[in-house]
Amino acid sequence: MTSIGLIGAGMIANIHAEAAKRIGTSIAVVYDPREERAQEFASKHSCDAVSSVEALLAREEIDGVVIAVPNDRHAELAIVALNAGKHVLLEKPMAMSLIQCDEILSARNASGKVLQMGFVCRYSPAAVKIKEIIESGLIGEVLHIQATLLRQRGIPGMGGWFTTKARSGGGCLIDIGVHFIDLVMHITSKKKPVRVSGKCTSAFTEATYAYEEMWSTPVRNGTFDVEDRVRALLSDASGTTFQFDISWATHLPENTMKDGLLIEGTLGSLVVDLWANELTRGFSENGNPKSEIISVELNDAWDDAFDSEHRAFAQAIETEQLEVGAGSGEDGKLVQSIVDAIYASDELGREVNIEQ
Ligand SMILES: NC(=O)c1ccc[n+]([C@@H]2O[C@H](COP(=O)([O-])OP(=O)(O)OC[C@H]3O[C@@H](n4cnc5c(N)ncnc54)[C@H](O)[C@@H]3O)[C@@H](O)[C@H]2O)c1
């Protein structure tokens, strides 16, 4: 049986532990500097809590670790874990700069261990289906994708590390935007976006925002120095365009727009809610516009996605190779390069090239 450790015992670590257990991976050990949290996690998931990362990595029975900590610790902990000879499932974003991504990639290459990125949206049943449809040629060449991820009240832990640039690297773009940037590159296999124009803004403050149950714990009068919305338009060398409309919070009525994709191809289109059990295909019949519903098989789309991510990680541990279709370190670096370019475009007020 595959046995793993968890570095970090926060919100997403609990979701990883549930998914890992569902697919038959054993959780052996957890470390979190907040001792109480680690103890609570250990009793909930029947594993040991240890008092340092070193103690966790010294455990011989674990083959892999999930790193689920604030973004500013990703690079350092991924490198330490790889150097200790563990396979790593690293939560998104990969890091906070391209230099850190390169340092992680060097550690992975030197260790010969697997680095899998936590790009879980790739595994949503709808995402798996649309990748299949695009690859079958049914909608022809992809010309444009609009990716929309708009929450009503979804600022995670307002005032805490998520909204503190020095700890998170940015706001909704580096938090949730990275999922959709990766997803769009993954389903289209378009790996070379070259230019981007982006605009980041903030509409909410602690005074104008009612905190509902959300990721992480809010901190009253804490720091909020990141964007809560971003709009970006990218193009690749072939002229394909990608538009990202991402917000942590909006005044939109509930469910106005889904976590969704609108994909336009030369022969058809797809309108997709990432977590739904059906999607719509638009096409042409004798020159007339037509549409059809395509079903997507799922149990619980969110759990299904995390289960598949953990199946891929267990497989990677067993074979010592990243599973085909899983997020690689190179994919993580590509996403980082796009994120950096969007922030640079926003700062400079003009379109910029994407450094790769
Ligand atoms: N895949 C997803 O859908 C998804 C969703 C939420 C968060 N995330 C990512 O997961 C990571 C964690 O997010 P979260 O929501 O669980 O945050 P969180 O604040 O709930 O938990 C983070 C935990 O990490 C612990 N921690 C801090 N420094 C540590 C260290 N050096 N070693 C071990 N633990 C340490 C904290 O004490 C805390 O318990 C972030 O990178 C975030 O971007 C991914």
Side-chain angles (χ1 to χ4, degrees), residues 31-50:
Y31 165 66
D32 194 298
R34 292 161 77 169
E35 229 171 89
E36 246 180 61
R37 204 173 251 207
Q39 289 299 346
E40 196 185 317
F41 183 100
S43 66
K44 187 169 167 198
H45 301 293
S46 311
C47 67
D48 298 336
V50 290

Side-chain angles (χ1 to χ4, degrees), residues 7-8 10-12 31-34 37 68-71 73-74 77 91-93 118 120 161-162 179 215-216 302 306:
I7 301 183
M11 298 289 283
I12 201 70
Y31 165 66
D32 194 298
R34 292 161 77 169
R37 204 173 251 207
V69 298
N71 302 349
R73 312 305 298 267
H74 283 197
L77 290 169
E91 256 308 342
K92 58 79 203 164
V120 72
W161 73 263
F162 274 103
H179 275 307
W215 293 109
S216 217
W302 175 254
F306 274 93

Side-chain angles (χ1 to χ4, degrees), residues 231-356:
R231 303 290 178 265
L233 184 66
L234 279 70
S235 52
D236 78 358
S238 70
T240 313
T241 48
F242 310 100
Q243 180 181 332
F244 294 93
D245 294 349
I246 315 285
S247 294
W248 264 343
T250 65
H251 295 297
L252 291 171
E254 195 172 5
N255 288 331
T256 306
M257 299 179 85
K258 308 271 187 204
D259 289 2
L261 301 172
L262 192 159
I263 305 169
E264 292 179 84
T266 48
L267 301 177
S269 67
L270 298 172
V271 179
V272 184
D273 170 350
L274 202 61
W275 308 106
N277 61 0
E278 58 181 34
L279 53 93
T280 311
R281 175 172 78 104
F283 57 101
S284 173
E285 200 173 78
N286 303 322
N288 295 307
K290 295 275 175 196
S291 64
E292 69 160 356
I293 302 289
I294 298 175
S295 343
V296 176
E297 262 182 57
L298 54 84
N299 295 313
D300 172 301
W302 175 254
D303 284 353
D304 291 350
F306 274 93
D307 290 1
S308 298
E309 183 174 78
H310 273 276
R311 259 185 227 105
F313 190 48
Q315 180 74 10
I317 289 171
E318 195 171 316
T319 59
E320 305 231 313
Q321 284 198 343
L322 188 69
E323 196 180 63
V324 175
S328 67
E330 284 73 12
D331 296 330
K333 185 180 168 189
L334 171 69
V335 172
Q336 185 77 45
S337 70
I338 294 171
V339 165
D340 285 1
I342 294 173
Y343 284 136
S345 167
D346 175 56
E347 247 180 73
L348 296 166
R350 61 171 170 78
E351 194 177 56
V352 299
N353 292 329
I354 298 169
E355 189 192 326
Q356 280 181 43

Side-chain angles (χ1 to χ4, degrees), residues 69-116:
V69 298
N71 302 349
D72 61 334
R73 312 305 298 267
H74 283 197
E76 159 203 343
L77 290 169
I79 291 167
V80 164
L82 288 162
N83 287 347
K86 305 298 182 193
H87 302 289
V88 169
L89 171 54
L90 175 59
E91 256 308 342
K92 58 79 203 164
M94 183 168 178
M96 296 200 348
S97 69
L98 286 176
I99 292 173
Q100 286 184 342
C101 293
D102 283 334
E103 288 168 356
I104 299 172
L105 288 173
S106 298
R108 179 203 62 185
N109 294 345
S111 70
K113 297 294 162 187
V114 174
L115 169 68
Q116 180 178 327

